[in-house]
Amino acid sequence: ALLSGLEALRMADKMKKCPFCGGEPQMLKGFIKGITMIVCSECKATVSFGGQESCEASLKAWNRRTK
């Protein structure tokens, strides 16, 4: 399920672009154990981070990049 309007807007402003194609990511709350998933609107890459059930923890993991 997509996040609520305000929560989705707040997260979208903080999310980096997709590392694969540069597309806009969307954060979804999964139906299985409430896991947060991030899906690219362009290439449809989908990721979830083990043990990261909160939106904030998933956002931090998504924005992490190697140097």
Side-chain angles (χ1 to χ4, degrees):
L2 284 171
L3 298 178
S4 68
L6 280 177
E7 189 174 18
L9 286 174
R10 185 173 56 85
M11 290 295 167
D13 287 344
K14 298 177 183 178
M15 295 179 80
K16 290 184 179 181
K17 303 266 186 193
C18 174
F20 305 109
C21 74
E24 295 293 329
Q26 294 180 334
M27 192 173 287
L28 308 168
K29 199 70 169 171
F31 294 106
I32 301 171
K33 296 184 183 179
I35 292 174
T36 302
M37 298 177 292
I38 299 174
V39 180
C40 174
S41 61
E42 297 296 320
C43 72
K44 306 302 182 210
T46 304
V47 298
S48 62
F49 302 96
Q52 307 298 335
E53 294 180 7
S54 76
C55 293
E56 290 77 20
S58 294
L59 174 67
K60 185 176 179 179
W62 171 263
N63 284 341
R64 185 178 55 234
R65 302 287 193 263
T66 60
K67 305 261 183 204

